[in-house]
Amino acid sequence: QVQLVESGGGLVQPGGSLRLSCAASGSISSIHAMGWYRQTPGKQRELVAAISSGTINYADSVKGRFTISRDNAEKTVYLQMNSLKPEDTAVYYCNVVVLELSGLINNYWGQGTQVTVSS
């Protein structure tokens, strides 16, 4: 089993910044991919940013404002969010794809952290 612990959400004014963190622990042999998704009520969960084997992808709506990074030693992924807009308000979920010690590849989700951008 793999556990994900997210932190860093909160309330921020438009134009402000937040940094999300997601730390993975458990029976991990290696991490194939790490990413962030977000969801608002009544809408599907959407990809915000993902990093895998050196390849990084961003949603068009966050390009130039958000930066994803990872610390392999700490098994942690970060999302630096700058120039936040009210439309960035959502619950943000961490996602990791791991090769477990059992030899199985599994996909895990964090518990979600609320980001609210409002004046």
Side-chain angles (χ1 to χ4, degrees):
Q1 282 291 327
V2 173
Q3 297 77 42
L4 301 179
V5 177
E6 299 179 19
S7 61
L11 172 64
V12 64
Q13 292 186 340
S17 298
L18 283 175
R19 189 191 194 208
L20 305 182
S21 300
C22 174
S25 62
S27 57
I28 299 171
S29 176
S30 63
I31 297 179
H32 286 200
M34 306 184 86
W36 291 94
Y37 290 70
R38 65 188 181 188
Q39 189 170 24
T40 54
K43 292 189 177 181
Q44 286 191 327
R45 194 170 296 186
E46 64 173 2
L47 173 69
V48 176
I51 183 169
S52 173
S53 300
T55 299
I56 296 176
N57 292 299
Y58 293 101
D60 288 342
S61 59
V62 307
K63 285 180 180 177
R65 300 188 298 121
F66 291 11
T67 302
I68 189 171
S69 61
R70 62 188 280 183
D71 182 328
N72 291 325
E74 296 296 327
K75 299 183 181 64
T76 300
V77 62
Y78 303 96
L79 186 68
Q80 178 66 44
M81 305 185 292
N82 299 328
S83 302
L84 282 160
K85 304 175 181 180
E87 50 264 43
D88 294 318
T89 296
V91 178
Y92 284 70
Y93 295 91
C94 171
N95 175 266
V96 297
V97 179
V98 303
L99 172 62
E100 298 191 37
L101 295 174
S102 64
L104 296 176
I105 295 176
N106 281 312
N107 182 41
Y108 290 90
W109 292 93
Q111 79 277 11
T113 185
Q114 177 70 46
V115 171
T116 302
V117 184
S118 175
S119 55

